[in-house]
Amino acid sequence: LAKTTQPISMDSYEGQEVNITCSHNNIATNDYITWYQQFPSQGPRFIIQGYKTKVTNEVASLFIPADRKSSTLSLPRVSLSDTAVYYCLVGDILTGGFKTIFGAGTRLFVKA
Amino acid sequence: DTEVTQTPKHLVMGMTNKKSLKCEQHMGHRAMYWYKQKAKKPPELMFVYSYEKLSINESVPSRFSPECPNSSLLNLHLHALQPEDSALYLCASSQEPVNEQFFGPGTRLTVL
């Protein structure tokens, strides 16, 4: 299983773009990259998932370089309500659910 | 209905008690999961059910006993727990084991 490394914490201000990078040097060919968001005392919430290049949805973008050894979650124009822990996960798309391993997570604190 | 519900929200039990946690989803998902999360730590996978059959038991002590009575319901039976088992217990479901997981709000368990 590919191990992930993320910054422990990040600070930002409202309205800024936030980029959180995750390293996964031993990512396997069948592995997808998934990001979850978690607020205190709540369950994690799926944000985005991708395999290569760029994926965008209504809340975030995910950038994955050609070597796939890292990925960057981009949150455009953050607000105070984006203060949360963000987890990067790497897993086989075919069997990933059977071995879901959350990384340590990045605590994002958005200030006014 | 796009929710995973968990009951109770809070539970306090003694080390000799027997209790159960309940999880329910009505999204037609065929995979359901139990996670344990200690404070300021990432969720740790405990059990995975796929099509109502236990697929993964991550070497969890036998004092935790999962049960999947039907495709919508997941229970976690607790017996003779230790104080170190105090944590947030999260239930999740996904359409298939490979898809994004939807998490419930969790049960905050305190073992005295």
Side-chain angles (χ1 to χ4, degrees):
Chain A
L1 290 167
K3 183 184 173 190
T4 60
T5 303
Q6 305 172 234
I8 294 173
S9 65
M10 293 181 69
D11 287 345
S12 182
Y13 288 93
E14 280 192 292
Q16 288 188 333
E17 178 185 75
V18 170
N19 296 310
I20 306 175
T21 297
C22 178
S23 297
H24 26 80
N25 289 321
N26 58 339
I27 189 169
T29 303
N30 289 335
D31 284 346
Y32 273 66
I33 300 149
T34 309
W35 286 80
Y36 284 86
Q37 174 194 56
Q38 187 176 26
F39 298 111
S41 297
Q42 292 187 28
R45 183 177 71 103
F46 172 87
I47 301 175
I48 200 166
Q49 184 180 74
Y51 183 80
K52 62 179 179 180
T53 62
K54 178 183 174 183
V55 179
T56 298
N57 61 23
E58 61 277 7
V59 298
S61 294
L62 179 60
F63 297 92
I64 306 167
D67 66 6
R68 305 202 322 124
K69 292 184 183 300
S70 67
S71 58
T72 299
L73 174 71
S74 181
L75 305 172
R77 298 178 298 282
V78 294
S79 63
L80 296 176
S81 62
D82 292 316
T83 294
V85 178
Y86 292 82
Y87 293 103
C88 166
L89 289 73
V90 172
D92 187 329
I93 191 63
L94 296 178
T95 62
F98 293 110
K99 200 74 178 175
T100 307
I101 297 179
F102 282 77
T106 297
R107 293 182 178 277
L108 174 64
F109 186 66
V110 180
K111 296 178 274 193
Chain B
D1 186 354
T2 57
E3 254 193 331
V4 175
T5 59
Q6 290 187 244
T7 54
K9 289 187 177 176
H10 301 275
L11 178 63
V12 179
M13 60 186 289
M15 290 189 283
T16 58
N17 292 158
K18 283 185 183 181
K19 298 285 184 183
S20 296
L21 309 184
K22 179 179 172 181
C23 173
E24 202 162 357
Q25 58 89 13
H26 295 287
M27 296 177 277
H29 289 173
R30 305 314 304 261
M32 296 187 78
Y33 313 75
W34 279 116
Y35 289 83
K36 173 183 176 181
Q37 186 174 27
K38 302 283 276 185
K40 298 193 185 302
K41 296 290 186 183
E44 295 177 48
L45 184 64
M46 300 174 72
F47 303 104
V48 180
Y49 273 86
S50 178
Y51 289 83
E52 299 165 50
K53 292 191 175 153
L54 182 63
S55 298
I56 292 289
N57 175 347
E58 291 291 319
S59 301
V60 177
S62 58
R63 57 186 183 268
F64 296 92
S65 175
E67 179 197 16
C68 189
N70 58 57
S71 60
S72 300
L73 198 56
L74 187 66
N75 297 321
L76 185 63
H77 302 298
L78 314 172
H79 172 56
L81 295 193
Q82 304 297 310
E84 59 264 28
D85 296 320
S86 298
L88 181 68
Y89 286 84
L90 294 161
C91 173
S93 71
S94 61
Q95 190 170 2
E96 298 285 340
V98 302
N99 297 121
E100 68 180 87
Q101 295 180 29
F102 291 78
F103 283 81
T107 293
R108 176 74 60 188
L109 174 68
T110 302
V111 181
L112 301 176

